[in-house]
Amino acid sequence: MRISVFRRAHFNAAHRIYNPKWSDEENRRVFGPCAHTNFHGHNYELVVKITGEVNPDTGYVMDINKLKQIIKTEIEDRFDHKNLNLDVPEMQGLIPTAEHICFTIWKILRAHIDEKLDLSVRLYETPRNFVEYPA
Amino acid sequence: MRISVFRRAHFNAAHRIYNPKWSDEENRRVFGPCAHTNFHGHNYELVVKITGEVNPDTGYVMDINKLKQIIKTEIEDRFDHKNLNLDVPEMQGLIPTAEHICFTIWKILRAHIDEKLDLSVRLYETPRNFVEYPA
Amino acid sequence: MRISVFRRAHFNAAHRIYNPKWSDEENRRVFGPCAHTNFHGHNYELVVKITGEVNPDTGYVMDINKLKQIIKTEIEDRFDHKNLNLDVPEMQGLIPTAEHICFTIWKILRAHIDEKLDLSVRLYETPRNFVEYPA
Amino acid sequence: MRISVFRRAHFNAAHRIYNPKWSDEENRRVFGPCAHTNFHGHNYELVVKITGEVNPDTGYVMDINKLKQIIKTEIEDRFDHKNLNLDVPEMQGLIPTAEHICFTIWKILRAHIDEKLDLSVRLYETPRNFVEYPA
Amino acid sequence: MRISVFRRAHFNAAHRIYNPKWSDEENRRVFGPCAHTNFHGHNYELVVKITGEVNPDTGYVMDINKLKQIIKTEIEDRFDHKNLNLDVPEMQGLIPTAEHICFTIWKILRAHIDEKLDLSVRLYETPRNFVEYPA
Amino acid sequence: MRISVFRRAHFNAAHRIYNPKWSDEENRRVFGPCAHTNFHGHNYELVVKITGEVNPDTGYVMDINKLKQIIKTEIEDRFDHKNLNLDVPEMQGLIPTAEHICFTIWKILRAHIDEKLDLSVRLYETPRNFVEYPA
């Protein structure tokens, strides 16, 4: 019996969308107010999806409290109340769009989840804008 | 890096579910109060999903502001504050069920989205009833 | 021990905002797309608030199932899948703005709620626009 | 035209997570407060997804009111205001985790849905914890 | 500058609505399925409102993290993953309706909040049923 | 007929909670991670409440589209995609807590709303933390 389990979490962070290879003018033209120098921010909502076989002894695909703890230690402690352009080593060299943040979260979590389990990550930047990796 | 981006939008419209090939009695029998002659209406919520490769220069699959603008021009301006039985040429000949509205929105948007990108549309008629195309 | 209890309900209806004393042009100027001739519609969300003393034998201010039944019979059966300009006798002579719909619902419910209990009604026309009576 | 339709429903139930083959101590170690002897409970939210071809005469994949009625009779009447460890024959022998409840709901519904239609079930135990079957 | 600050929290609990002075039959007649012997349960959502003057040195009415900690220690630790009929000493002798739970929470919190600050509590039993004390 | 109308809006901004009269150490002690030097951010949700008499010619307390426009021009254009410590002249000298942001929004809006109408503002910093002025 293969089933998916989901855990929702959240963190609050600042960022700006800015390509350092471009002039300020070019950044403003492409990214508009998202390129604003002094940063803006979001309440990011995260949904982590784990897929695998149910363990008949526990009735769990994975102990959701262990998943919650991994998300706390590996994601919230790294991203919450931080600046995504300046404070997160794993984001260095990446423009902190929702796409790149989502992929980075997936890569960090992938190393901490049993490889028999599939992993996917959905990230809400606002209630109206969100992304999912893998597609 | 293939990823999905989502944009949520909304419009308010009137409709009735009615098959003109049938008698009023048959329509009432099959569609119940949804067939009511004087129309009723909904706050439709729309979620548009675009899947493709991330552009390394922008960190975007697609500029979400361009997607927002396409949804505004092609969908909201056509459907918002309208009657889906009477006012939308693209819906003519189709009973305006959530299924048909969703498919029509997909068809309209498909013509405006880069063909390298995949497209899917979810439409909420109420928070409890919704549809998605393609399945 | 005075306490308030709330019950949320919903109905789907069509309407247009139109003052019959004015020309079509004046209606369009004042009400914009809300005046559209062929109607549009909403998923109305209703929150009914009842305030009074808790009955020590039941622990209830009022049996919420009786309140639910009154809302069903008096409001949902009158307003759901209806046209608020054409189908609701209690709305005749009133422009069906959220303000007038909310007040009409309050007046209908007031006659069915024990007069020792206070009553107020909040009506959501969309998640972003709502009204409350009494203020 | 293959499309998916979704219907959301809910029920309130008590449960505890407990493996009768294990000691109380082992249950507490593995399941923590979820193993609490006197039960706890949840507002379960259920999303049923049906996928198939649209019937051109109705514009429906399936009459959502028939689906709503099946969910009412087969799921809500069995699970609502019940204890999932003690009251639901279909759950006997299964630890009532979200995974097992979701799978049981899927199995019950599968027998009542036209076999030309695909079925999947998502179950929210809380807004932050949910599961989906099939994966 | 008098202002209100709100903090939302949640707990999951089992209960049944049952008046021990009445027969089982009378309980079933008055309380319906809520009287079910084996209990049922809810995801309770709690909104605590604190009103007072803003401290000019901190810009806070009250440090929301201290409020969060008080709610954790005094309410969540007492009510979460518990049976409201059997496990909470402060509820003994009270039928655990939303009204009585809300009042009990208010009474517990009142003792831990600075008396210069006003306190009110809203408790959601489901998204559609909720109560507030004081009224 | 006195009634209240509400309009919800939103903006995304960066901030840090920091009292310039204190040492960095004292700021960290009092404000914790909210004092983080490189800023963090939020999706702020705003609910503006206007109370007054219904105009019998329009059925409106106030044209909600005019209110929406005032919120756009006076609040969103000032606060959206901005840094609340650095970019908003009206916030200078105020620690940008939810309390102070809410009060500042109220003061700005008050100057643009007919003085016969009452005004109150609720500001959500996260779905779990929010404030309201006046209390």
Side-chain angles (χ1 to χ4, degrees):
Chain A
M1 190 195 335
R2 246 177 102 73
I3 206 164
S4 297
V5 299
F6 302 74
R7 173 72 193 172
R8 185 181 274 265
H10 59 95
F11 58 90
N12 310 322
H15 78 155
R16 64 183 294 218
I17 307 300
Y18 176 83
N19 186 333
K21 296 187 244 161
W22 296 346
S23 67
D24 280 6
E25 196 179 45
E26 179 70 359
N27 272 286
R28 267 194 306 274
R29 199 189 55 77
V30 174
F31 296 124
C34 298
H36 178 64
T37 311
N38 289 334
F39 308 104
H40 64 283
H42 298 288
N43 302 327
Y44 289 93
E45 289 277 330
L46 181 69
V47 180
V48 176
K49 177 183 178 182
I50 303 283
T51 301
E53 292 291 323
V54 175
N55 176 335
D57 283 339
T58 58
Y60 287 157
V61 168
M62 175 184 177
D63 183 339
I64 210 89
N65 278 315
K66 283 192 190 132
L67 179 56
K68 181 183 168 182
Q69 194 54 51
I70 292 170
I71 297 171
K72 169 72 174 64
T73 312
E74 301 302 328
I75 307 304
E76 294 175 35
D77 288 356
R78 261 191 188 89
F79 290 80
D80 191 34
H81 283 75
K82 294 287 165 56
N83 182 309
L84 303 178
N85 298 74
L86 303 176
D87 297 327
V88 184
E90 290 80 359
M91 296 291 305
Q92 292 315 303
L94 288 172
I95 303 172
T97 57
E99 287 89 331
H100 282 159
I101 305 168
C102 185
F103 176 69
T104 302
I105 290 173
W106 181 88
K107 221 166 47 171
I108 295 172
L109 288 177
R110 185 62 278 183
H112 294 83
I113 303 289
D114 183 335
E115 44 180 49
K116 281 178 303 193
L117 300 172
D118 290 334
L119 169 69
S120 106
V121 173
R122 178 178 283 201
L123 182 74
Y124 290 82
E125 194 165 88
T126 73
R128 299 206 167 267
N129 292 345
F130 48 107
V131 301
E132 196 170 271
Y133 180 84
Chain B
M1 190 197 331
R2 245 175 103 73
I3 206 165
S4 297
V5 298
F6 302 75
R7 173 74 194 170
R8 186 181 273 265
H10 59 95
F11 58 90
N12 310 321
H15 78 155
R16 63 182 295 218
I17 308 300
Y18 176 83
N19 185 334
K21 295 188 245 163
W22 295 346
S23 67
D24 281 5
E25 197 181 43
E26 180 69 0
N27 272 286
R28 268 194 305 273
R29 199 188 56 77
V30 174
F31 296 123
C34 297
H36 178 63
T37 311
N38 289 334
F39 309 104
H40 64 283
H42 298 287
N43 302 328
Y44 289 92
E45 289 276 332
L46 181 69
V47 180
V48 176
K49 177 183 178 181
I50 303 283
T51 302
E53 291 292 324
V54 176
N55 177 334
D57 282 338
T58 59
Y60 287 157
V61 168
M62 176 184 177
D63 182 339
I64 212 86
N65 278 315
K66 283 193 190 131
L67 179 56
K68 181 183 169 182
Q69 194 53 51
I70 292 170
I71 297 171
K72 170 72 175 63
T73 312
E74 300 303 327
I75 306 303
E76 293 175 35
D77 288 356
R78 262 191 187 89
F79 290 80
D80 190 36
H81 283 75
K82 293 289 165 56
N83 182 308
L84 303 178
N85 299 74
L86 304 175
D87 297 327
V88 183
E90 290 80 359
M91 295 290 307
Q92 292 314 302
L94 288 172
I95 304 171
T97 57
E99 286 90 331
H100 282 157
I101 304 168
C102 185
F103 176 70
T104 302
I105 290 172
W106 180 89
K107 221 167 47 172
I108 295 172
L109 288 178
R110 185 63 278 182
H112 294 83
I113 304 288
D114 183 335
E115 41 180 50
K116 282 177 303 194
L117 300 172
D118 289 334
L119 169 69
S120 109
V121 173
R122 179 178 280 202
L123 182 73
Y124 290 82
E125 195 165 88
T126 73
R128 299 206 165 268
N129 292 344
F130 49 106
V131 302
E132 196 170 272
Y133 180 83
Chain C
M1 190 197 331
R2 244 175 104 73
I3 205 164
S4 296
V5 298
F6 302 76
R7 173 73 193 171
R8 186 181 273 265
H10 59 96
F11 58 89
N12 310 322
H15 79 153
R16 63 182 294 217
I17 308 299
Y18 176 82
N19 186 334
K21 295 188 245 163
W22 295 346
S23 68
D24 280 6
E25 197 180 44
E26 178 70 359
N27 272 286
R28 266 195 306 273
R29 199 188 55 78
V30 175
F31 297 124
C34 298
H36 178 64
T37 312
N38 289 334
F39 308 106
H40 63 282
H42 298 289
N43 303 327
Y44 289 94
E45 289 278 329
L46 181 69
V47 180
V48 176
K49 177 183 178 181
I50 302 283
T51 302
E53 293 290 325
V54 174
N55 176 335
D57 283 339
T58 59
Y60 287 156
V61 168
M62 175 181 178
D63 183 339
I64 210 88
N65 279 315
K66 283 193 189 131
L67 178 57
K68 181 183 169 182
Q69 194 53 52
I70 291 170
I71 296 171
K72 169 73 174 64
T73 313
E74 301 301 328
I75 306 303
E76 292 175 34
D77 289 356
R78 261 192 188 88
F79 290 79
D80 191 35
H81 283 78
K82 294 289 165 56
N83 182 310
L84 302 178
N85 298 75
L86 303 175
D87 297 327
V88 183
E90 290 81 358
M91 294 292 305
Q92 292 315 302
L94 288 172
I95 304 172
T97 56
E99 287 89 331
H100 282 157
I101 305 167
C102 184
F103 177 69
T104 302
I105 290 172
W106 182 88
K107 220 166 49 170
I108 295 172
L109 288 177
R110 186 63 277 183
H112 293 84
I113 304 288
D114 184 336
E115 40 180 51
K116 281 178 305 195
L117 299 171
D118 290 333
L119 170 69
S120 106
V121 172
R122 178 179 282 202
L123 183 73
Y124 290 81
E125 195 165 88
T126 73
R128 300 207 164 265
N129 293 344
F130 49 106
V131 301
E132 197 169 272
Y133 180 84
Chain D
M1 190 196 332
R2 247 176 102 74
I3 205 164
S4 297
V5 297
F6 302 75
R7 173 73 193 170
R8 187 180 272 266
H10 58 96
F11 58 89
N12 309 323
H15 79 155
R16 64 182 294 219
I17 307 301
Y18 176 83
N19 186 334
K21 295 187 246 163
W22 295 346
S23 67
D24 280 6
E25 197 181 42
E26 179 70 359
N27 272 287
R28 266 195 306 273
R29 198 187 57 77
V30 175
F31 296 124
C34 298
H36 178 63
T37 311
N38 290 334
F39 308 104
H40 64 283
H42 298 288
N43 303 328
Y44 289 93
E45 288 278 330
L46 180 70
V47 179
V48 177
K49 177 183 178 182
I50 302 282
T51 302
E53 292 291 324
V54 175
N55 176 334
D57 283 338
T58 59
Y60 287 157
V61 168
M62 175 184 179
D63 183 341
I64 211 88
N65 279 314
K66 283 193 189 132
L67 178 57
K68 181 183 169 182
Q69 194 52 52
I70 292 170
I71 296 171
K72 170 74 176 61
T73 312
E74 301 302 327
I75 306 302
E76 293 175 33
D77 289 356
R78 261 190 188 90
F79 290 81
D80 190 35
H81 283 76
K82 295 287 165 56
N83 182 310
L84 302 179
N85 299 75
L86 304 176
D87 296 327
V88 183
E90 289 80 359
M91 295 291 308
Q92 293 314 303
L94 287 173
I95 304 171
T97 56
E99 286 90 330
H100 282 157
I101 305 168
C102 184
F103 177 68
T104 302
I105 289 172
W106 181 88
K107 220 167 47 171
I108 295 172
L109 288 178
R110 186 62 279 183
H112 293 83
I113 303 289
D114 184 335
E115 42 180 50
K116 280 177 307 194
L117 300 171
D118 290 333
L119 170 69
S120 105
V121 173
R122 178 178 282 201
L123 183 74
Y124 291 81
E125 195 164 88
T126 72
R128 299 205 166 267
N129 293 343
F130 49 106
V131 301
E132 197 170 272
Y133 180 84
Chain E
M1 190 197 333
R2 245 176 103 74
I3 205 164
S4 297
V5 298
F6 302 76
R7 174 73 194 170
R8 185 180 274 266
H10 59 95
F11 58 89
N12 310 322
H15 78 155
R16 64 182 295 217
I17 307 300
Y18 176 83
N19 185 334
K21 295 188 244 163
W22 295 346
S23 68
D24 280 5
E25 197 181 43
E26 179 70 359
N27 272 287
R28 266 195 306 273
R29 199 189 54 78
V30 175
F31 296 124
C34 296
H36 178 63
T37 311
N38 289 335
F39 307 104
H40 63 283
H42 298 289
N43 303 329
Y44 289 93
E45 288 276 331
L46 180 70
V47 181
V48 176
K49 178 183 176 181
I50 303 283
T51 302
E53 292 291 324
V54 175
N55 176 336
D57 282 338
T58 59
Y60 287 157
V61 169
M62 175 181 178
D63 182 340
I64 211 87
N65 278 315
K66 284 195 188 130
L67 178 57
K68 181 182 167 182
Q69 194 53 51
I70 293 170
I71 296 171
K72 170 72 176 63
T73 313
E74 302 301 327
I75 306 304
E76 292 175 36
D77 288 356
R78 262 192 186 88
F79 290 80
D80 190 36
H81 284 76
K82 294 289 165 55
N83 182 310
L84 303 178
N85 298 73
L86 304 175
D87 297 327
V88 184
E90 290 81 359
M91 295 291 308
Q92 292 315 302
L94 288 172
I95 304 171
T97 57
E99 286 90 332
H100 282 158
I101 305 167
C102 185
F103 177 68
T104 302
I105 290 172
W106 181 88
K107 221 168 46 172
I108 294 172
L109 288 178
R110 186 62 278 184
H112 293 83
I113 304 288
D114 184 334
E115 42 181 48
K116 282 177 304 192
L117 300 172
D118 289 334
L119 170 69
S120 109
V121 173
R122 178 177 282 200
L123 182 73
Y124 291 82
E125 194 165 270
T126 72
R128 300 209 163 265
N129 293 344
F130 48 106
V131 301
E132 196 171 272
Y133 181 83
Chain F
M1 189 198 330
R2 246 176 102 73
I3 206 164
S4 297
V5 298
F6 302 75
R7 174 73 194 171
R8 186 181 273 265
H10 58 95
F11 57 90
N12 309 323
H15 78 154
R16 64 182 294 217
I17 308 300
Y18 176 82
N19 186 333
K21 296 187 246 163
W22 295 345
S23 67
D24 280 5
E25 196 179 45
E26 179 69 0
N27 272 288
R28 267 196 306 274
R29 201 189 54 78
V30 175
F31 297 123
C34 298
H36 178 64
T37 311
N38 289 334
F39 308 105
H40 64 283
H42 298 289
N43 302 327
Y44 289 92
E45 289 276 331
L46 180 70
V47 180
V48 176
K49 178 183 178 182
I50 302 283
T51 302
E53 293 290 323
V54 175
N55 176 335
D57 282 339
T58 59
Y60 286 157
V61 168
M62 176 183 177
D63 184 339
I64 210 88
N65 278 315
K66 283 191 191 134
L67 178 57
K68 180 182 168 182
Q69 193 54 50
I70 292 169
I71 297 171
K72 170 73 174 64
T73 313
E74 301 301 328
I75 306 304
E76 293 175 34
D77 288 355
R78 261 193 188 88
F79 291 79
D80 191 35
H81 284 75
K82 294 288 165 57
N83 182 308
L84 303 177
N85 299 74
L86 304 176
D87 296 327
V88 184
E90 290 80 359
M91 296 291 306
Q92 292 315 303
L94 288 172
I95 303 171
T97 57
E99 286 90 331
H100 282 158
I101 305 168
C102 185
F103 176 69
T104 302
I105 290 173
W106 181 88
K107 221 167 46 171
I108 295 173
L109 288 177
R110 185 64 277 183
H112 294 83
I113 304 288
D114 183 336
E115 44 181 46
K116 282 178 304 194
L117 300 171
D118 290 335
L119 170 69
S120 107
V121 173
R122 177 178 283 200
L123 182 74
Y124 290 81
E125 194 165 89
T126 73
R128 301 206 165 266
N129 292 345
F130 48 106
V131 302
E132 196 170 271
Y133 180 83

